[in-house]
């Protein structure tokens, strides 16, 4: 029989995991509320893809079409995302809904052929336009697609139902097979639980939340049921505040963080998403101990980088 130290290392690794778990402090709700209350939303709005959609708030359908495009392209840094959206907007002469839904398929395909955003290609955007045109010929809003699954299986069911529509399930006889890689643009929490499905949860947040900076077009999904769009910035801070014990992003981590935020604000838990995300994007959070940056951070007493450690340590 080995020493107790060897036994701990070999036979009880879960104990070592338990010791490292960082639980939220009792004061975290007040500190997160302070972070939200004092956050410079206007400063960060210009950096966010939703700044490209907000000019269309008078036109719900255009905002929904632009929203699904913006969410689909929401990979990489915000400058590149906004640049790609601006190129799409230039192609559409500022009328994304009419252009994407009404332009003849051949003309649309030629115009989009040179388009690239990271690994997303113009032929994939063109196929999405076909799918949307087909869908909108018999539906007013993508909320109907979300609700169909939501009423049966809650938020994950709703997201699954939405991505099935966007993948073109059920319309392939008319639209043809999708281009290579297209289906991977739309993961579902039911089919791909290792994915946090960030881009589609972000789209649903934009559509459901009424409070700034979101749009609130969808009125039949309660804000309390939303899930957090778990990007790298949000996950890093959530993990270091003890909102999740999971070190990697997945749908299970999305559920953990969302549930923790729901305990803080049951009515509007995902209001913290924009703030946590842009705290990371803006450089307000250095993701390490740096008192010159962390000094004014409202959640510093709760942060794993600082909790139980002195300023000079
Ligand atoms: S204390 Fe520093 S590292 Fe921790 S969340 Fe705040 S800014 Fe980020």
């Amino acid at each position: 029989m080995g020493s107790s130290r060897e036994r701990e290392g070999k036979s009880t690794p879960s104990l070592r995991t338990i010791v490292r778990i960082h639980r939220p402090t009792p004061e975290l709700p007040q500190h997160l509320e302070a972070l939200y209350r004092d956050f410079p939303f206007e400063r960060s709005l210009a950096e966010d893809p939703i700044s490209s959609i907000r000019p269309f708030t008078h036109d719900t359908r255009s905002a929904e079409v632009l929203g699904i495009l913006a969410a689909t392209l929401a990979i990489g840094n915000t400058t590149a995302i906004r640049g790609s959206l601006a190129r799409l907007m230039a192609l559409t002469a500022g009328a994304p809904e009419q252009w994407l839904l009404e332009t003849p398929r051949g003309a649309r395909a030629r115009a989009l052929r040179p388009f690239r955003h990271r690994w997303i290609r113009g032929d994939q955007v063109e196929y999405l336009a076909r799918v949307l045109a087909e869908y909108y010929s018999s539906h007013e809003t993508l909320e109907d697609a979300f609700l169909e699954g939501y009423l049966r299986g809650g938020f994950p069911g709703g997201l699954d139902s939405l991505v099935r529509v966007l993948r073109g399930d059920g319309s392939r006889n008319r639209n043809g097979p999708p281009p290579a890689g297209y289906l991977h643009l739309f993961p579902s929490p039911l089919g791909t639980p290792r994915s946090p499905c960030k881009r589609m949860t972000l789209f649903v947040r934009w559509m459901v939340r009424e409070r700034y900076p979101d749009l609130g077009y969808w009125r039949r999904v309660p804000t309390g049921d939303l899930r957090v769009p778990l990007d790298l910035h949000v996950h890093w801070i959530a993990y270091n505040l003890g909102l999740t014990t999971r070190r990697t992003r997945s749908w299970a981590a999305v559920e953990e963080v969302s549930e923790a935020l729901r305990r803080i604000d049951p009515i509007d838990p995902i209001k913290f998403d924009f703030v946590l995300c842009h705290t990371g994007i803006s450089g307000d959070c250095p993701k390490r101990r740096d008192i010159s940056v962390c000094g004014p951070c409202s959640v510093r007493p709760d942060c794993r980088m600082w909790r139980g450690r002195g300023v000079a340590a």
Side-chain angles (χ1 to χ4, degrees):
M1 198 170 175
S3 69
S4 60
R5 190 169 176 156
E6 285 168 338
R7 285 200 303 278
E8 183 194 348
K10 286 180 181 172
S11 62
T12 58
S14 59
L15 280 180
R16 299 173 72 182
T17 307
I18 289 166
V19 167
R20 285 202 299 268
I21 286 177
H22 181 74
R23 300 204 180 280
T25 62
E27 298 79 25
L28 180 62
Q30 297 92 287
H31 295 159
L32 263 180
E33 290 287 358
L35 189 73
Y36 177 80
R37 187 188 60 230
D38 300 334
F39 195 76
F41 280 84
E42 286 298 333
R43 177 203 67 180
S44 289
L45 184 74
E47 286 289 313
D48 197 276
I50 202 172
S51 63
S52 306
I53 309 166
R54 289 192 61 82
F56 289 85
T57 48
H58 61 284
D59 178 354
T60 309
R61 175 71 67 77
S62 282
E64 192 172 276
V65 168
L66 200 51
I68 203 68
L69 287 175
T72 304
L73 299 179
I75 301 168
N77 72 60
T78 55
T79 306
I81 296 166
R82 284 181 294 111
S84 294
L85 272 175
R87 281 188 286 125
L88 277 184
M89 285 298 289
L91 276 180
T92 66
E97 185 211 350
Q98 285 87 340
W99 193 85
L100 278 169
L101 305 186
E102 295 171 15
T103 306
R105 190 187 290 186
R108 203 171 52 205
R110 278 192 297 281
L112 282 168
R113 195 168 294 140
F115 180 82
R116 287 283 183 284
H117 174 75
R118 303 288 294 266
W119 58 86
I120 299 176
R121 305 183 310 272
D123 62 336
Q124 295 167 327
V125 177
E126 200 284 317
Y127 193 83
L128 175 59
R130 277 188 235 173
V131 168
L132 290 174
E134 169 88 27
Y135 178 80
Y136 284 127
S137 67
S138 56
H139 296 83
E140 269 300 302
T141 163
L142 287 167
E143 184 179 21
D144 295 342
F146 183 89
L147 276 175
E148 197 210 323
Y150 173 77
L151 295 174
R152 281 186 278 107
F155 192 94
L159 218 53
D160 184 70
S161 176
L162 175 65
V163 303
R164 282 176 188 279
V165 166
L166 297 174
R167 286 173 183 163
D169 292 6
S171 69
R172 290 200 194 137
N173 287 344
R174 292 175 294 275
N175 289 322
Y182 179 80
L183 300 181
H184 296 300
L185 295 177
F186 304 107
S188 157
L190 302 188
T192 322
R194 281 196 298 182
S195 169
C197 305
K198 182 217 82 172
R199 291 172 298 129
M200 287 304 107
T201 48
L202 182 61
F203 172 69
V204 176
R205 190 204 90 193
W206 290 340
M207 293 299 122
V208 170
R209 286 194 73 249
E210 271 183 271
R211 290 167 77 184
Y212 190 84
D214 297 316
L215 305 167
Y217 296 143
W218 294 4
R219 298 299 174 89
R220 292 171 283 173
V221 181
T223 51
D225 263 2
L226 289 174
R227 302 296 194 271
V228 69
L230 197 63
D231 75 357
L232 289 169
H233 299 291
V234 176
H235 179 248
W236 191 94
I237 298 181
Y239 177 74
N240 284 286
L241 296 182
L243 298 173
T244 177
T245 57
R246 295 174 190 270
R247 299 179 76 115
T248 54
R249 294 184 302 145
S250 63
W251 188 254
V254 169
E255 291 288 12
E256 262 189 30
V257 175
S258 303
E259 179 56 31
L261 294 177
R262 207 172 292 121
R263 283 195 290 271
I264 296 170
D265 187 337
I267 305 295
D268 190 12
I270 308 306
K271 72 182 188 185
F272 298 110
D273 173 57
F274 186 92
V275 170
L276 294 177
C277 177
H278 282 280
T279 294
I281 289 173
S282 65
D284 288 352
C285 173
K287 301 190 173 72
R288 58 187 162 79
R289 281 168 63 86
D290 180 346
I291 192 59
S292 68
V293 186
C294 296
C297 177
S298 305
V299 294
R300 184 157 64 92
D302 318 277
C303 177
R304 187 191 296 260
M305 299 289 128
W306 293 94
R307 197 166 154 195
R309 298 165 70 185
V311 168

